[in-house]
Amino acid sequence: MSRIGKLPIDIPVGVKVDVDGRKVTVSGSKGELTFNVAEPIEVKVEENQVLVTRPDEERESRSLHGLTRTLINNDIIGVSQGYSKALEIVGTGYRVQKKGQSLELALGFSHPVTVEPPAGISFEVEGNNKITISGISKQAVGECAATIRKIRKPEPYKGKGVRYAGEQVRRKAGKAGK
């Protein structure tokens, strides 16, 4: 039995979970998310808990059991509390500005890079080198943060670039002098 999958998910106050066949809809104070459950997995709502079960011990059923439970739990947390990721910009002359809803990044290129927020995602800028990405979908927040980081990854010699808050960059030694 999946250790994660067999745990019931408690539904907090203010969150509503509806199961319609294979479609699970989670709505709360921050918004609404839908999730389509993979074929062999069954989802039931009993009182104030969500139960995820599998019909057999097939390899695919076992792998989808814990995954489905975790994805539904992430949706419940997202609509009640939300998710956020913080990014730091390190480097001389590297900065970020908020222009309307989008971000304008100066990262050492000959031109500024503009990043538009995907649906359901919002940006906040602290100072000129900290970005906070927030939204209700954990997957969308993480993907947006990874996309911004990919524009200029931290390089190992000076550590310049966009990094997650608290990320440790392994530094390399530069050229050996004569």
Side-chain angles (χ1 to χ4, degrees), residues 5-9 42-46 49-53:
K6 69 181 177 183
L7 297 173
I9 306 167
E42 297 294 325
V43 178
K44 291 183 279 195
V45 177
E46 292 181 1
Q49 289 186 332
V50 178
L51 301 174
V52 180
T53 58

XYZ file of all heavy atoms in Angstrom, residues 5-9 42-46 49-53:
115
model
N -0.461 7.587 -0.416
C -1.789 7.458 -1.000
C -2.868 7.039 -0.023
O -4.023 7.426 -0.170
N -2.516 6.247 0.991
C -3.552 5.763 1.903
C -3.952 6.792 2.956
O -4.964 6.630 3.612
C -3.102 4.477 2.582
C -1.970 4.640 3.567
C -1.575 3.314 4.169
C -0.386 3.477 5.100
N 0.055 2.208 5.628
N -3.199 7.879 3.090
C -3.538 8.906 4.065
C -4.734 9.727 3.579
O -4.763 10.158 2.429
C -2.350 9.855 4.288
C -1.088 9.242 4.871
C 0.029 10.275 4.861
C -1.334 8.734 6.273
N -5.723 9.954 4.437
C -6.849 10.802 4.025
C -6.417 12.266 3.996
O -5.501 12.672 4.703
C -7.900 10.558 5.111
C -7.118 10.129 6.294
C -5.896 9.404 5.771
N -7.077 13.053 3.158
C -6.788 14.483 3.059
C -7.883 15.224 3.803
O -9.062 15.098 3.465
C -6.764 14.947 1.591
C -5.794 14.107 0.764
C -6.400 16.416 1.502
C -5.949 14.305 -0.729
N -9.553 5.855 -7.778
C -10.879 6.304 -7.360
C -10.739 7.366 -6.271
O -9.915 7.221 -5.368
C -11.699 5.133 -6.806
C -11.982 4.047 -7.812
C -12.879 4.507 -8.938
O -13.780 5.336 -8.685
O -12.666 4.051 -10.074
N -11.561 8.416 -6.352
C -11.544 9.499 -5.363
C -12.947 9.640 -4.792
O -13.927 9.692 -5.534
C -11.093 10.839 -6.007
C -11.127 11.952 -4.985
C -9.713 10.708 -6.606
N -13.039 9.698 -3.444
C -14.323 9.863 -2.759
C -14.192 10.964 -1.711
O -13.133 11.116 -1.100
C -14.725 8.569 -2.049
C -15.097 7.428 -2.973
C -15.542 6.226 -2.178
C -14.294 5.519 -1.701
N -14.466 4.178 -1.217
N -15.288 11.691 -1.505
C -15.344 12.696 -0.447
C -16.287 12.172 0.615
O -17.458 11.888 0.337
C -15.842 14.056 -0.985
C -15.951 15.061 0.149
C -14.924 14.565 -2.068
N -15.775 11.999 1.842
C -16.586 11.542 2.966
C -16.453 12.554 4.093
O -15.350 12.779 4.588
C -16.138 10.161 3.442
C -16.426 9.060 2.446
C -16.001 7.695 2.957
O -15.494 7.609 4.086
O -16.178 6.727 2.208
N -13.253 14.811 4.587
C -12.013 14.183 4.147
C -12.146 13.687 2.715
O -13.241 13.323 2.275
C -11.649 12.989 5.037
C -11.198 13.377 6.420
C -10.709 12.158 7.190
O -11.145 11.051 6.951
N -9.803 12.399 8.123
N -11.017 13.677 2.009
C -10.948 13.107 0.660
C -10.157 11.812 0.768
O -9.068 11.790 1.343
C -10.247 14.075 -0.324
C -10.144 13.449 -1.701
C -10.976 15.395 -0.399
N -10.707 10.725 0.216
C -10.040 9.422 0.228
C -9.676 9.031 -1.198
O -10.521 9.088 -2.098
C -10.945 8.360 0.844
C -11.411 8.614 2.276
C -12.408 7.568 2.702
C -10.220 8.633 3.213
N -8.429 8.620 -1.388
C -7.945 8.188 -2.694
C -7.632 6.697 -2.575
O -6.870 6.288 -1.699
C -6.681 8.980 -3.111
C -6.177 8.526 -4.462
C -6.973 10.470 -3.125
N -8.250 5.877 -3.446
C -8.039 4.426 -3.399
C -7.656 3.912 -4.781
O -7.920 4.552 -5.792
C -9.315 3.692 -2.927
O -10.382 4.026 -3.810
C -9.676 4.079 -1.504
